[in-house]
Amino acid sequence: MTDRGDHRVDRALLLTFDDRHVREWAAAAPLFRRYGARVTFFICEPDRLDRDDVRLLHRLADDGHTIGCHGLRHERAPEFIAAHGAGAYLAREVVPALESLRRLGFPSRSFGYPCSARDTSTDRLLLTLFERLRGGVSADRRADPSLAAELHVPAGDIAARRVLLGCSVDSGRGAVAYGDDLTGVETALRRTADDGGVTTLYAHGIADAQEANHVTPARLEKLLALADGMSLPCVGFDELP
Ligand SMILES: [Zn+2]
């Protein structure tokens, strides 16, 4: 089990969850606690959280998890900007989401890109509002060991690396299963545990079956156990230097 300490993060798994599956995430809180894991929840449509969602999200934040922003209406940044301009993107999609989260008691310092859609100009724009951004690598490479080179950020680069690319560990969506081979992800975790640095992963809901993208509790526990067995702490974005 990894303790929550004040020591500098020099190696970590950054496990992140997107969208608005608050009840499922809250149900997994004991699992996270068992492994001493803190994760990041990137929330979209914060204005549509009901009272119970907000209460549960506060409990997750009290457990040390990071609450980040995932946009007001889950718009893809490059496409929205191409259609409406950068000013409109911030004014209609990002700032209202940030303000809504702040009003609910969640001052968010990081942003997870909806659909991992980003480019260097959206990065530059969003880094005026956020300390860190999470993008993604292609999920169909997660069985490929060479993915580790792309996912793993060396320890010396953590402080300066403001855009972290994650890989999906979702199990499936609706009736579609994404396959069980996570060799690339596991290789990245091993490298992170051995050499230091961080590896970022993402999922959505946490359920055995779900219409939306989801990771099963069994796979989630397997990943947490794998990291724990390597003495690799699982921390939230807010804990990064
Ligand atoms: Zn999303």
Side-chain angles (χ1 to χ4, degrees):
M1 305 283 151
T2 32
D3 283 325
R4 184 165 196 194
D6 290 329
H7 46 81
R8 198 172 66 87
V9 173
D10 69 345
R11 70 194 61 220
L13 161 60
L14 296 166
L15 189 52
T16 67
F17 297 85
D18 292 0
D19 299 342
R20 212 153 47 81
H21 305 281
V22 180
R23 282 163 172 81
E24 291 177 10
W25 299 337
L31 176 62
F32 293 130
R33 232 175 275 132
R34 209 175 315 138
Y35 286 93
R38 276 102 49 208
V39 304
T40 303
F41 300 107
F42 287 112
I43 311 290
C44 63
E45 302 179 316
D47 54 321
R48 292 175 178 167
L49 294 168
D50 66 24
R51 197 186 294 232
D52 270 347
D53 290 333
V54 173
R55 184 178 53 83
L56 292 170
L57 211 47
H58 271 290
R59 260 199 228 163
L60 289 167
D62 289 344
D63 278 353
H65 300 298
T66 292
I67 310 299
C69 180
H70 195 49
L72 188 70
R73 291 293 174 262
H74 207 267
E75 297 284 356
R76 297 169 62 100
E79 287 84 347
F80 193 99
I81 291 170
H84 308 287
Y89 175 64
L90 291 186
R92 282 157 54 185
E93 174 65 9
V94 182
V95 171
L98 253 182
E99 283 177 352
S100 173
L101 284 168
R102 199 170 293 143
R103 264 197 308 274
L104 296 171
F106 307 110
S108 298
R109 293 153 49 193
S110 51
F111 182 84
Y113 277 106
C115 311
S116 299
R118 53 167 283 278
D119 55 40
T120 50
S121 73
T122 64
D123 290 347
R124 220 172 326 151
L125 183 68
L126 287 168
L127 285 172
T128 61
L129 293 174
F130 297 98
E131 289 175 13
R132 276 201 172 77
L133 314 175
R134 199 217 62 222
V137 300
S138 171
D140 34 276
R141 288 192 48 231
R142 67 190 191 181
D144 177 357
S146 74
L147 175 69
E150 227 176 301
L151 274 187
H152 172 246
V153 175
D157 294 354
I158 299 175
R161 190 72 68 94
R162 297 292 154 185
V163 185
L164 293 161
L165 301 184
C167 182
S168 163
V169 291
D170 277 326
S171 305
R173 172 185 194 137
V176 182
Y178 294 154
D180 287 328
D181 191 344
L182 296 181
T183 305
V185 167
E186 288 162 10
T187 308
L189 292 183
R190 169 55 64 196
R191 186 173 301 182
T192 309
D194 289 349
D195 301 348
V198 295
T199 283
T200 305
L201 303 176
Y202 69 85
H204 295 79
I206 301 170
D208 283 315
Q210 214 315 359
E211 275 313 300
N213 276 308
H214 62 278
V215 61
T216 63
R219 173 178 288 178
L220 178 57
E221 172 143 27
K222 202 175 152 194
L223 285 165
L224 292 171
L226 184 67
D228 191 50
M230 297 173 179
S231 299
L232 180 63
C234 185
V235 310
F237 266 53
D238 283 356
E239 295 176 73
L240 291 176

